[in-house]
Amino acid sequence: MITINKTPGLALAAAIWLAGCGVSQSKPENTKVETATAVTAFPLGKAIFSASLRTPGELQAFQQVDLYAKVNSFVRKLNVDVGSTVQAGQVLATMEAPELGSALSGAESRLRSQEAVYLASKANYDRLYQTSLTPGTVSQNDLDMAFAKQQSDFAQKEAARAAYREIADQRNYLEIRAPFSGVISARNVSAGAYVGPSGKGSEMPLFTLQEQKKLRLVVSVPEAYTPYLKEKSAVKFVIKSLGNREFDAIINRLAGALDSRLRSQRVEMDVQNNDKLLLPGMVAEVHIPLATADSVFVVPTTAVVSSTEKVFVIRVNGNKSEWVDVKKGREAEGKTEIFGDLRDGDMLVEKANDEIRNGSAVTIKK
């Protein structure tokens, strides 16, 4: 007896029926459409950019010197005190050193002795010379010996004179005189104090003298602004301790080199102070003009993005954003000077930020 299995045939028929009905199990793909960011843009152009740098400065005495004692001595008399106005050459203090007087007297005695010896040898030579004019009276050797003795005594006399002048000059150091006109700003000794060039008594100067009718205004200008500095440029500075009073000055000296530590250039301005209203040590807010005759790219400060990675502006190029690396220059009144691969007429985003990604779609607001 033969048995026929119908199961495979039924499965095949069912598959053919399903294919004929066109049943599909696949799902349609999702298509993401990028949305353009609307931005406000402006055409890039060049302009003459004038700005000023605000930086702190310090007023210093035009001349300042610490006065010390040249020789070991005692202070006998002080003629000035703190705040005294002195003139150049004025005696500020008188010292005493008795041993210098004795040394000077001894040097003077040696000088007089050598002068007498020289006069004697000179007279002897002169007599021998006159006698030698008669042939056969004085040998040439005796005449030469007398002349050599005269020259030796003359040298000894000059050496004694130099020794006397040296001690006399040291005695002159017992008077401390002002090297220039100014004001005594410090006094560190009293009458009777021991002073000298070394050891105890030389730690502090006798006086500190400052010229205050003319002051130096000193500022340190960062490296980025040094190309714009010009001598004889007029500047203004404000002293807050004087009620924000404004003063004028002129740039007189540029260091011509950068400080190795601060990477800044020292700039000095002379300030007339005849009324002594300004004092050395005052802090000033200095406004230095940073003008240039060349036109440069100037943009609103909001158009420059300073991220942790770089500094850039965003250029609109064919409805796409493009980050352009730039370097910033001067800044003033909401404007910034920039340098980079830019051209006149480039459309830049006015309010740029790093949320507008490089290459993203943008549209310009109208």
Side-chain angles (χ1 to χ4, degrees):
M1 180 177 174
I2 300 173
T3 303
I4 300 174
N5 189 355
K6 299 182 179 179
T7 303
L10 292 174
L12 178 63
I16 295 173
W17 181 81
L18 289 174
C21 293
V23 178
S24 176
Q25 299 296 325
S26 61
K27 296 181 180 179
E29 295 182 358
N30 293 331
T31 302
K32 184 177 181 180
V33 179
E34 182 179 4
T35 303
T37 303
V39 297
T40 302
F42 64 93
L44 180 64
K46 289 187 175 183
I48 300 296
F49 188 68
S50 296
S52 64
L53 172 67
R54 293 189 178 186
T55 183
E58 181 184 4
L59 288 169
Q60 299 179 359
F62 191 76
Q63 295 185 89
Q64 178 173 323
V65 63
D66 293 331
L67 301 175
Y68 290 85
K70 174 69 174 178
V71 296
N72 295 324
S73 55
F74 294 91
V75 177
R76 184 173 68 184
K77 183 179 180 182
L78 296 174
N79 300 324
V80 295
D81 209 329
V82 174
S84 300
T85 300
V86 300
Q87 302 300 319
Q90 180 178 336
V91 177
L92 308 181
T94 304
M95 266 73 70
E96 58 182 356
E99 62 275 14
L100 278 182
S102 301
L104 184 63
S105 298
E108 185 178 8
S109 299
R110 287 189 293 272
L111 174 60
R112 299 291 178 260
S113 175
Q114 290 298 328
E115 286 178 343
V117 172
Y118 167 70
L119 290 176
S121 61
K122 182 177 183 303
N124 181 55
Y125 171 74
D126 291 341
R127 286 192 298 269
L128 287 177
Y129 177 76
Q130 293 296 328
T131 305
S132 67
L133 295 179
T134 302
T137 55
V138 178
S139 67
Q140 185 63 39
N141 182 63
D142 292 340
L143 187 61
D144 292 342
M145 291 294 291
F147 180 74
K149 181 68 166 60
Q150 175 195 348
Q151 295 300 312
S152 176
D153 291 341
F154 177 78
Q156 293 294 328
K157 184 197 72 168
E158 291 302 313
R161 187 184 301 278
Y164 172 79
R165 288 177 178 173
E166 178 183 1
I167 299 176
D169 289 340
Q170 289 184 358
R171 191 174 183 181
N172 291 335
Y173 292 143
L174 295 178
E175 289 185 343
I176 304 298
R177 297 180 178 271
F180 54 82
S181 299
V183 177
I184 301 296
S185 60
R187 190 207 76 182
N188 300 305
V189 296
S190 299
Y194 172 78
V195 293
S198 61
K200 188 175 179 61
S202 63
E203 303 93 342
M204 301 291 290
L206 277 67
F207 302 102
T208 297
L209 177 63
Q210 293 181 338
E211 181 181 353
Q212 297 184 359
K213 287 188 176 182
K214 189 177 182 181
L215 302 178
R216 298 175 188 262
L217 178 58
V218 180
V219 297
S220 295
V221 178
E223 178 182 359
Y225 300 103
T226 54
Y228 309 105
L229 298 175
K230 303 294 182 184
E231 286 193 21
K232 306 303 179 185
S233 297
V235 302
K236 296 183 180 296
F237 64 96
V238 174
I239 303 297
K240 292 185 178 180
S241 60
L242 297 178
N244 289 330
R245 183 170 174 178
E246 190 176 74
F247 299 86
D248 297 322
I250 299 292
I251 295 179
N252 296 97
R253 287 169 295 279
L254 301 173
L258 298 182
D259 180 86
S260 59
R261 183 173 59 89
L262 300 176
R263 296 298 172 188
S264 58
Q265 181 175 198
R266 180 186 175 99
V267 180
E268 292 188 357
M269 291 139 277
D270 294 345
V271 180
Q272 294 298 327
N273 188 37
N274 294 325
D275 56 0
K276 297 183 181 180
L277 181 63
L278 301 173
L279 301 177
M282 280 185 169
V283 177
E285 183 182 272
V286 188
H287 299 175
I288 302 177
L290 303 175
T292 179
D294 300 328
S295 57
V296 293
F297 287 127
V298 181
V299 299
T301 302
T302 56
V304 183
V305 182
S306 299
S307 68
T308 56
E309 300 176 355
K310 57 184 177 179
V311 179
F312 62 92
V313 295
I314 301 177
R315 177 167 55 195
V316 179
N317 188 1
N319 293 330
K320 293 288 185 179
S321 64
E322 180 183 358
W323 288 9
V324 181
D325 294 344
V326 297
K327 291 183 178 181
K328 293 197 296 184
R330 297 163 292 171
E331 297 184 26
E333 299 178 355
K335 300 288 184 180
T336 301
E337 176 186 26
I338 60 173
F339 306 93
D341 186 15
L342 298 167
R343 296 174 296 275
D344 278 329
D346 284 348
M347 297 298 294
L348 302 184
V349 177
E350 182 175 352
K351 295 183 178 179
N353 56 69
D354 53 6
E355 294 181 358
I356 305 175
R357 306 305 300 172
N358 188 25
S360 63
V362 294
T363 59
I364 300 177
K365 294 180 181 179
K366 296 184 179 178

